[in-house]
Amino acid sequence: MSNNVTRRKFLATAGATASGFLCLPGDALGQPGSVRTRRSVFSLTAPIADYRTGVGVMKTRSATDPTSWIYQANMHGTYTAPPAGALWNQCQHGSFFFLSWHRMYLYFFERIVRKACGNNAFALPYWNYTSQTLSARQLPLAFRQPTFNSSPNPLYDAARNTGINSTANPAALSYSATLFSTAFGYTNFASAGGSGASFGGQTLAAPAHFAGPHGQLESQPHDIIHGLLGGSGDMGDPNRAARDPIFWLHHANIDRLWKRWLQQGGGRVNPTANNAWMTHEFEFYDENGHKVKLKGSDVLNTVTQLQYRYDDDPVTFGPAAFAVSAEAAPPKKENPVESVAVAEQQGIALGTRPVRVAVTLKEPAKKAVARALGAAAVAADNPITLHLDDVAFDKQPGIYYEVYLNVPADEDNPEFHNGHFVGNLGFFAKTHEPAAGADPHAAMTDGGAKQSHVFDITGLVRELSAEKKWDPEKATITFIPRGLEDSDGHPLEIKTDAKIKVGKVSFQSTKE
Ligand code: C2O
């Protein structure tokens, strides 16, 4: 119960669209150095026309121009071999650099669009898709129209998932795909190397283009949204995603959620004690095509350091309101205890139908569960986590899976608010196409494609136990495939020929 209440509270706080935005001094004037506001794409004052103009101008520039559309997209990732010295294939996935690198990337992209569109007040809009309202979960109309004023629409991308671009009957993201409550439940920004049990991702000593496991916000909603919007097209593939103009509004929203997470307090702070995160310099190009550098310590405060804010940032302003929250609480210890597997099940193939996995709890598992069911403080120090390891897939399936614990056997269409929901499993990572005729699963053993996911289920196990829905001998994990919805909110048929395999499902807890 408490778990669900908490999740709803987070949704109410952070998912709400801002009404009544405020103007900071200079905002409307757009003078250099003034603070610009990134607005919801649904706001009447969102600068869609400027964005369309700016993207159109960038698309006319040659690929060798660092301020061109294609060069900027290739900085994220590309299958094209980079010319010598090109800043391509830089995106940071699967580590605590994910949020900071994408913030920097958006910052310079925004400056390039600002200059290209000629409006000095321009700031990127963001797409807040976390909404019970179906239309908010449909791709905004300006991105779905193939033409605008009888010319090709620069914001249109034909390579999107089936139904996304429909103007008559646009597909919508399922509501559960847009949830960020799981990520917001984590109070630690970073986790130890190898662990995704944190809001922002695992700690690394140096940047890595494609690492894993993904942190919690990156896993959901970030990865899930990529897969649903893109399918086998651009957004589903990190090497093509930034070619879709919606990429930048998706990431502005992820960047906004980072701020909303910090705002929750409760020990949530940036990893300012980590030297690599604070001092590693990433390279970009500014709007004049000059090479520039930013590091983590440069992007802690969007207002004072980067001169932008979101329209739902706290209304109070002044130095104190935007102070770096690192001073507020000491950084948390990153995974102080060693995890051990207490029960597991191997080799699960996922497809277009629900899959139930039975897990037998042996002696060490029972002890771990007993600790988690005991005093709250003991449980907090001995969390039970569900691990999905060696998750392999040969291509972006364009769907995701809701993961449930102990759903009754006759329930084949559970709802995420049924008190059994663990989280979502999505697929946004480097994939490896198998060679012609080869066993696709064999090809997927290549390290780049295998992912791990971790879910903290301590609270859920406590709830289920209190409701007498917990069996100390055995548990079930259920994977429910989910895709897009039609414009009436009914699920569209789940279709994919992707080969997906979860190598290992396990419960883990701390060593005794
Ligand atoms: Cu670097 Cu949403 O991806």
Side-chain angles (χ1 to χ4, degrees), residues 76 91 93 98 102 222 226 247 250-251 428:
H76 191 267
C91 70
H93 282 265
F98 167 72
H102 286 82
H222 168 267
H226 268 287
F247 171 95
H250 172 34
H251 269 276
F428 184 64

Side-chain angles (χ1 to χ4, degrees), residues 241-322:
R243 296 177 178 213
D244 188 331
I246 200 62
F247 171 95
W248 307 89
L249 278 72
H250 172 34
H251 269 276
N253 191 49
I254 295 296
D255 187 65
R256 181 185 71 92
L257 290 175
W258 178 9
K259 296 192 79 173
R260 297 290 75 81
W261 176 78
L262 285 171
Q263 196 189 332
Q264 302 283 332
R268 293 169 177 81
V269 292
N270 288 326
T272 51
N274 185 287
N275 196 52
W277 193 87
M278 288 290 274
T279 64
H280 182 85
E281 293 187 314
F282 292 100
E283 293 187 312
F284 300 89
Y285 281 100
D286 72 9
E287 68 278 20
N288 300 312
H290 297 142
K291 210 178 244 188
V292 280
K293 289 178 184 172
L294 279 180
K295 51 191 185 301
S297 64
D298 296 328
V299 300
L300 296 168
N301 186 319
T302 71
V303 174
T304 59
Q305 296 177 300
L306 303 174
Q307 288 80 48
Y308 75 86
R309 58 185 293 282
Y310 288 95
D311 59 7
D312 63 347
D313 278 359
V315 177
T316 42
F317 47 90
F322 292 109

Side-chain angles (χ1 to χ4, degrees), residues 446-485:
D446 186 307
K450 290 168 109 188
Q451 292 287 314
S452 290
H453 295 262
V454 60
F455 304 88
D456 188 332
I457 55 170
T458 320
L460 189 53
V461 170
R462 285 171 73 92
E463 273 173 45
L464 292 175
S465 168
E467 294 167 12
K468 310 263 179 294
K469 293 174 183 164
W470 179 259
D471 181 339
E473 309 287 330
K474 55 186 192 300
T476 59
I477 301 296
T478 307
F479 297 88
I480 305 287
R482 296 283 184 209
L484 297 163
E485 294 176 352

Side-chain angles (χ1 to χ4, degrees), residues 414-445:
E415 293 286 340
F416 69 88
H417 41 65
N418 70 351
H420 294 267
F421 180 60
V422 169
N424 292 324
L425 170 63
F427 310 91
F428 184 64
K430 195 166 142 190
T431 53
H432 298 264
E433 300 290 341
D439 169 11
H441 288 120
M444 290 188 294
T445 55

